[in-house]
Protein backbone atom coordinates (compact mmCIF):
# COMPACT_ATOMS: atom_id res chain seq x y z
CA UNK A 1 0.00 0.00 0.00
CA UNK A 2 1.25 3.48 -0.85
CA UNK A 3 2.68 5.07 2.31
CA UNK A 4 1.83 8.57 1.11
CA UNK A 5 -1.87 7.65 0.81
CA UNK A 6 -1.85 6.48 4.41
CA UNK A 7 -0.02 9.52 5.74
CA UNK A 8 -2.05 12.13 3.87
CA UNK A 9 -5.35 11.73 5.82
CA UNK A 10 -3.40 11.48 9.07
CA UNK A 11 -1.65 14.72 8.18
CA UNK A 12 -4.97 16.42 7.41
CA UNK A 13 -6.43 15.42 10.79
CA UNK A 14 -3.30 16.58 12.63
CA UNK A 15 -3.27 19.83 10.68
CA UNK A 16 -6.88 20.56 11.62
CA UNK A 17 -6.17 19.80 15.27
CA UNK A 18 -3.11 22.03 15.29
CA UNK A 19 -4.98 24.82 13.49
CA UNK A 20 -7.65 24.68 16.21
CA UNK A 21 -5.03 24.95 18.96
CA UNK A 22 -3.29 27.79 17.16
CA UNK A 23 -6.54 29.74 16.70
CA UNK A 24 -7.40 29.21 20.37
CA UNK A 25 -3.97 30.48 21.42
CA UNK A 26 -4.34 33.49 19.11
CA UNK A 27 -7.74 34.39 20.54
CA UNK A 28 -6.46 34.16 24.13
CA UNK A 29 -3.39 36.22 23.26
CA UNK A 30 -5.52 38.87 21.54
CA UNK A 31 -7.83 39.18 24.56
CA UNK A 32 -4.79 39.65 26.78
CA UNK A 33 -3.22 42.19 24.41
CA UNK A 34 -6.42 44.18 24.10
CA UNK A 35 -6.36 44.85 27.85
CA UNK A 36 -2.90 46.40 27.74
CA UNK A 37 -2.59 50.22 27.91
CA UNK A 38 -0.98 50.70 24.52
CA UNK A 39 -1.49 53.25 21.76
CA UNK A 40 -2.23 51.44 18.54
CA UNK A 41 -1.01 52.99 15.29
CA UNK A 42 -1.31 50.56 12.40
CA UNK A 43 1.24 51.06 9.62
CA UNK A 44 0.60 48.45 6.90
CA UNK A 45 4.00 48.98 5.23
CA UNK A 46 5.92 48.00 8.36
CA UNK A 47 3.61 45.01 8.92
CA UNK A 48 4.29 43.77 5.38
CA UNK A 49 8.02 44.21 5.98
CA UNK A 50 7.72 42.22 9.23
CA UNK A 51 5.89 39.42 7.46
CA UNK A 52 8.52 39.36 4.71
CA UNK A 53 11.35 39.22 7.25
CA UNK A 54 9.61 36.36 9.07
CA UNK A 55 9.24 34.38 5.83
CA UNK A 56 12.90 34.91 4.90
CA UNK A 57 13.99 33.86 8.39
CA UNK A 58 11.98 30.68 8.13
CA UNK A 59 13.40 29.89 4.69
CA UNK A 60 16.93 30.24 6.09
CA UNK A 61 16.14 27.60 8.73
CA UNK A 62 14.61 25.24 6.19
CA UNK A 63 17.61 25.54 3.86
CA UNK A 64 20.01 24.99 6.78
CA UNK A 65 18.17 21.79 7.73
CA UNK A 66 18.12 20.65 4.09
CA UNK A 67 21.87 21.13 3.76
CA UNK A 68 22.41 19.31 7.05
CA UNK A 69 20.43 16.43 5.56
CA UNK A 70 22.80 16.43 2.60
CA UNK A 71 25.61 15.68 5.04
CA UNK A 72 23.84 12.39 5.82
CA UNK A 73 23.47 11.44 2.18
CA UNK A 74 19.84 12.58 1.90
CA UNK A 75 19.40 14.72 -1.19
CA UNK A 76 15.96 16.31 -1.20
CA UNK A 77 14.36 19.26 -2.96
CA UNK A 78 13.75 22.53 -1.18
CA UNK A 79 10.01 22.07 -1.69
CA UNK A 80 10.00 18.71 0.09
CA UNK A 81 12.18 20.06 2.89
CA UNK A 82 9.88 23.06 3.28
CA UNK A 83 6.80 20.84 3.51
CA UNK A 84 8.32 18.52 6.12
CA UNK A 85 9.81 21.34 8.19
CA UNK A 86 6.69 23.50 8.30
CA UNK A 87 4.19 20.73 9.02
CA UNK A 88 6.38 19.04 11.64
CA UNK A 89 6.94 22.34 13.46
CA UNK A 90 3.20 22.55 14.06
CA UNK A 91 3.80 19.54 16.28
CA UNK A 92 5.18 21.88 18.94
CA UNK A 93 1.57 22.53 19.96
CA UNK A 94 1.58 18.95 21.25
CA UNK A 95 4.86 19.48 23.15
CA UNK A 96 8.50 19.81 22.05
CA UNK A 97 8.71 16.09 21.25
CA UNK A 98 5.90 16.54 18.72
CA UNK A 99 8.30 18.21 16.28
CA UNK A 100 10.64 15.21 16.18
CA UNK A 101 7.81 12.68 15.92
CA UNK A 102 6.11 14.66 13.17
CA UNK A 103 9.34 15.02 11.25
CA UNK A 104 9.99 11.27 11.31
CA UNK A 105 6.47 10.58 10.04
CA UNK A 106 6.44 13.23 7.31
CA UNK A 107 9.99 12.47 6.14
CA UNK A 108 8.99 8.94 5.19
CA UNK A 109 6.17 10.31 3.07
CA UNK A 110 8.69 12.46 1.15
CA UNK A 111 11.13 9.61 0.62
CA UNK A 112 13.60 10.94 3.21
CA UNK A 113 15.29 8.52 5.57
CA UNK A 114 13.49 9.07 8.90
CA UNK A 115 16.53 8.56 11.21
CA UNK A 116 18.55 11.00 9.09
CA UNK A 117 15.72 13.56 9.19
CA UNK A 118 15.38 13.25 12.96
CA UNK A 119 19.15 13.41 13.49
CA UNK A 120 19.41 16.55 11.34
CA UNK A 121 16.49 18.09 13.26
CA UNK A 122 18.09 17.28 16.63
CA UNK A 123 21.37 18.83 15.46
CA UNK A 124 19.55 21.95 14.29
CA UNK A 125 17.74 22.21 17.63
CA UNK A 126 21.02 21.78 19.52
CA UNK A 127 22.70 24.45 17.41
CA UNK A 128 19.65 26.66 17.84
CA UNK A 129 20.07 26.37 21.60
CA UNK A 130 23.84 27.00 21.41
CA UNK A 131 23.62 30.02 19.12
CA UNK A 132 20.63 31.39 21.05
CA UNK A 133 22.45 31.21 24.38
CA UNK A 134 25.63 32.64 22.84
CA UNK A 135 23.80 35.51 21.14
CA UNK A 136 21.81 36.29 24.28
CA UNK A 137 25.03 36.26 26.30
CA UNK A 138 26.74 38.71 23.95
CA UNK A 139 23.71 41.00 23.85
CA UNK A 140 23.38 40.79 27.63
CA UNK A 141 27.05 41.74 27.98
CA UNK A 142 26.30 45.04 26.28
CA UNK A 143 23.21 45.62 28.43
CA UNK A 144 25.00 44.70 31.68
CA UNK A 145 27.93 47.09 31.33
CA UNK A 146 26.49 49.37 33.99
CA UNK A 147 26.45 46.56 36.57
CA UNK A 148 30.19 45.93 36.48
CA UNK A 149 32.76 43.84 34.61
CA UNK A 150 31.86 40.61 36.44
CA UNK A 151 28.42 40.55 34.84
CA UNK A 152 29.83 41.37 31.41
CA UNK A 153 32.48 38.64 31.55
CA UNK A 154 29.92 36.17 32.90
CA UNK A 155 27.67 36.78 29.92
CA UNK A 156 30.59 36.49 27.47
CA UNK A 157 31.79 33.23 29.06
CA UNK A 158 28.30 31.72 28.87
CA UNK A 159 28.07 32.62 25.19
CA UNK A 160 31.52 31.23 24.43
CA UNK A 161 30.85 27.95 26.26
CA UNK A 162 27.58 27.53 24.36
CA UNK A 163 29.33 27.72 21.00
CA UNK A 164 32.23 25.53 22.16
CA UNK A 165 29.76 22.95 23.46
CA UNK A 166 28.29 22.55 20.00
CA UNK A 167 31.56 20.83 19.06
CA UNK A 168 30.20 17.74 20.83
CA UNK A 169 28.02 17.19 17.76
CA UNK A 170 31.19 16.59 15.75
CA UNK A 171 32.42 13.80 18.03
CA UNK A 172 30.89 10.36 17.45
CA UNK A 173 32.39 9.08 20.71
CA UNK A 174 30.71 11.85 22.72
CA UNK A 175 27.39 11.27 20.95
CA UNK A 176 27.61 7.52 21.63
CA UNK A 177 28.01 8.26 25.32
CA UNK A 178 24.98 10.54 25.24
CA UNK A 179 23.05 7.88 23.31
CA UNK A 180 23.82 5.32 26.06
CA UNK A 181 21.92 7.52 28.52
CA UNK A 182 18.78 7.53 26.35
CA UNK A 183 16.06 4.85 26.13
CA UNK A 184 16.91 1.89 23.86
CA UNK A 185 14.16 2.94 21.44
CA UNK A 186 15.87 6.27 20.72
CA UNK A 187 17.33 6.49 17.19
CA UNK A 188 21.13 6.44 16.75
CA UNK A 189 22.78 9.84 16.42
CA UNK A 190 25.53 10.24 13.85
CA UNK A 191 28.17 12.92 14.28
CA UNK A 192 27.74 16.01 12.12
CA UNK A 193 30.45 16.98 9.67
CA UNK A 194 32.31 20.25 10.10
CA UNK A 195 30.51 21.72 7.10
CA UNK A 196 27.09 20.84 8.53
CA UNK A 197 28.03 22.39 11.87
CA UNK A 198 29.12 25.64 10.24
CA UNK A 199 25.94 25.77 8.15
CA UNK A 200 23.82 25.12 11.23
CA UNK A 201 25.62 27.72 13.33
CA UNK A 202 25.38 30.39 10.65
CA UNK A 203 21.78 29.53 9.75
CA UNK A 204 20.55 29.61 13.35
CA UNK A 205 22.42 32.82 14.14
CA UNK A 206 20.87 34.53 11.11
CA UNK A 207 17.47 33.21 12.19
CA UNK A 208 17.75 34.71 15.70
CA UNK A 209 18.81 38.05 14.24
CA UNK A 210 15.95 37.79 11.76
CA UNK A 211 13.43 37.22 14.53
CA UNK A 212 14.78 40.28 16.35
CA UNK A 213 14.30 42.32 13.19
CA UNK A 214 10.75 40.99 12.85
CA UNK A 215 9.93 42.18 16.39
CA UNK A 216 11.26 45.68 15.67
CA UNK A 217 9.33 45.93 12.39
CA UNK A 218 6.19 44.56 14.01
CA UNK A 219 6.40 47.13 16.81
CA UNK A 220 6.74 49.89 14.21
CA UNK A 221 3.67 48.58 12.42
CA UNK A 222 1.45 48.29 15.49
CA UNK A 223 2.31 50.91 18.09
CA UNK A 224 2.66 54.68 18.30
CA UNK A 225 5.47 54.39 20.85
CA UNK A 226 9.10 53.99 19.70
CA UNK A 227 10.08 50.38 18.89
CA UNK A 228 12.53 48.47 21.09
CA UNK A 229 16.19 48.53 20.25
CA UNK A 230 17.28 45.71 17.94
CA UNK A 231 19.49 44.10 20.61
CA UNK A 232 16.73 44.22 23.22
CA UNK A 233 14.15 42.77 20.84
CA UNK A 234 16.50 39.99 19.71
CA UNK A 235 17.57 38.95 23.21
CA UNK A 236 14.02 39.09 24.59
CA UNK A 237 12.67 36.95 21.77
CA UNK A 238 15.58 34.50 21.90
CA UNK A 239 15.49 33.91 25.66
CA UNK A 240 11.70 33.53 25.77
CA UNK A 241 11.77 31.11 22.82
CA UNK A 242 14.51 28.98 24.37
CA UNK A 243 12.68 28.79 27.69
CA UNK A 244 9.58 27.59 25.87
CA UNK A 245 11.66 25.08 23.90
CA UNK A 246 13.14 23.60 27.08
CA UNK A 247 9.68 23.31 28.66
CA UNK A 248 9.24 19.96 26.89
CA UNK A 249 5.67 19.22 27.92
CA UNK A 250 4.17 22.70 27.53
CA UNK A 251 2.53 22.98 24.07
CA UNK A 252 4.63 25.50 22.11
CA UNK A 253 5.65 27.05 25.45
CA UNK A 254 2.28 28.86 25.47
CA UNK A 255 1.99 31.25 28.39
CA UNK A 256 5.55 30.66 29.55
CA UNK A 257 7.15 32.29 26.52
CA UNK A 258 4.84 35.29 26.70
CA UNK A 259 5.57 35.77 30.41
CA UNK A 260 9.36 35.62 29.89
CA UNK A 261 9.12 37.93 26.88
CA UNK A 262 7.15 40.52 28.87
Amino acid sequence: MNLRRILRPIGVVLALGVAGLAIRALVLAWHEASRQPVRWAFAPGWLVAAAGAAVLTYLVLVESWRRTLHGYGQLTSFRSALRVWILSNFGKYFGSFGIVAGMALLAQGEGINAPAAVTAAVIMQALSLATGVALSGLLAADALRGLGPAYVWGAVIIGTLAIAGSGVLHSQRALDRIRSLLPPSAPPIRAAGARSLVIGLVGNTLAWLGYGLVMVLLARGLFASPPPQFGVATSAYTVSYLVGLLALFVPAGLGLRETIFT
Side-chain angles (χ1 to χ4, degrees):
M1 184 177 293
N2 192 314
L3 181 60
R4 182 169 294 187
R5 289 186 177 181
I6 299 175
L7 294 178
R8 183 169 295 172
I10 296 176
V12 171
V13 173
L14 290 176
L16 291 175
V18 168
L21 291 173
I23 292 173
R24 178 177 178 273
L26 182 62
V27 171
L28 293 175
W30 178 257
H31 284 318
E32 179 64 26
S34 63
R35 292 197 292 265
Q36 302 301 318
V38 297
R39 290 184 301 151
W40 299 95
F42 292 101
W46 289 114
L47 294 178
V48 171
V55 170
L56 288 175
T57 298
Y58 214 73
L59 295 180
V60 166
L61 285 174
V62 174
E63 180 62 14
S64 299
W65 176 69
R66 189 176 78 93
R67 291 183 178 272
T68 303
L69 269 177
H70 287 183
Y72 291 98
Q74 298 297 306
L75 303 179
T76 184
S77 67
F78 182 82
R79 181 178 180 182
S80 294
L82 181 65
R83 184 183 297 112
V84 173
W85 182 271
I86 288 180
L87 293 178
S88 61
N89 267 266
F90 281 121
K92 64 187 177 184
Y93 290 102
F94 298 99
S96 296
F97 291 117
I99 298 177
V100 177
M103 187 161 287
L105 182 66
L106 292 165
Q108 294 181 46
E110 294 294 332
I112 304 172
N113 179 267
V118 171
T119 301
V122 170
I123 287 174
M124 284 294 291
Q125 290 289 352
L127 294 177
S128 172
L129 181 62
T131 53
V133 171
L135 190 61
S136 299
L138 294 175
L139 292 172
D142 183 62
L144 296 173
R145 292 186 189 280
L147 298 179
Y151 289 91
V152 175
W153 280 108
V156 171
I157 290 172
I158 289 173
T160 303
L161 289 176
I163 293 297
S166 64
V168 171
L169 299 172
H170 188 55
S171 170
Q172 188 61 53
R173 179 178 298 181
L175 291 176
D176 288 341
R177 289 182 179 178
I178 295 174
R179 173 66 178 76
S180 66
L181 301 176
L182 301 176
S185 58
I189 304 176
R190 287 172 51 196
R195 185 170 181 269
S196 295
L197 280 179
V198 171
I199 290 173
L201 287 170
V202 173
N204 279 288
T205 300
L206 291 176
W208 290 127
L209 296 174
Y211 286 133
L213 177 62
V214 170
M215 297 307 299
V216 173
L217 296 175
L218 191 62
R220 284 185 175 275
L222 290 177
F223 310 121
S225 55
Q229 295 180 352
F230 176 73
V232 173
T234 303
S235 59
Y237 182 92
T238 302
V239 172
S240 59
Y241 185 97
L242 293 179
V243 170
L245 179 66
L246 295 175
L248 300 179
F249 300 102
V250 179
L254 289 175
L256 185 60
R257 283 177 174 167
E258 289 76 11
T259 301
I260 296 298
F261 186 86
T262 302

